[in-house]
Amino acid sequence: MSASIPSNGKASHDESDVYDRQIRLWGAEAQNKIRDTKVLYVHMSGVSSEILKNLVLAGVRAAICDGRSYPDAMSETPSSFL
């Protein structure tokens, strides 16, 4: 099932069904903030991929993964991206 992101910033009915437990736990506003969050992962490992999986299951929509080590990735990343 794929839930679309509405342009009004509110969760669709499908998203409300999928994230019902999270919405009951921390509210709709917090779930909308989680949905709009962007995550940058540098130097992917087994543990970090498990953390990323859990964030995506919680509702994070945008996740950027970079397999380079931390110093290399940060030295080559434009500062406006951070």
Side-chain angles (χ1 to χ4, degrees), residues 40-79:
L40 170 65
Y41 265 83
V42 178
H43 192 65
M44 292 296 294
S45 67
V47 172
S48 61
S49 63
E50 184 69 18
I51 292 169
L52 180 61
K53 178 201 71 147
N54 291 332
L55 287 173
V56 169
L57 288 175
V60 172
R61 295 279 182 192
I64 301 166
C65 303
D66 191 341
R68 296 176 290 178
S69 64
Y70 178 75
D72 295 336
M74 292 298 107
S75 65
E76 297 171 11
T77 303
S79 61

Side-chain angles (χ1 to χ4, degrees), residues 19-38:
Y19 301 115
D20 181 58
R21 289 181 181 178
Q22 287 92 315
I23 291 170
R24 284 188 278 156
L25 178 64
W26 48 65
E29 183 179 343
Q31 186 64 36
N32 287 335
K33 288 179 183 180
I34 290 172
R35 184 187 67 214
D36 296 335
T37 300
K38 295 171 182 65

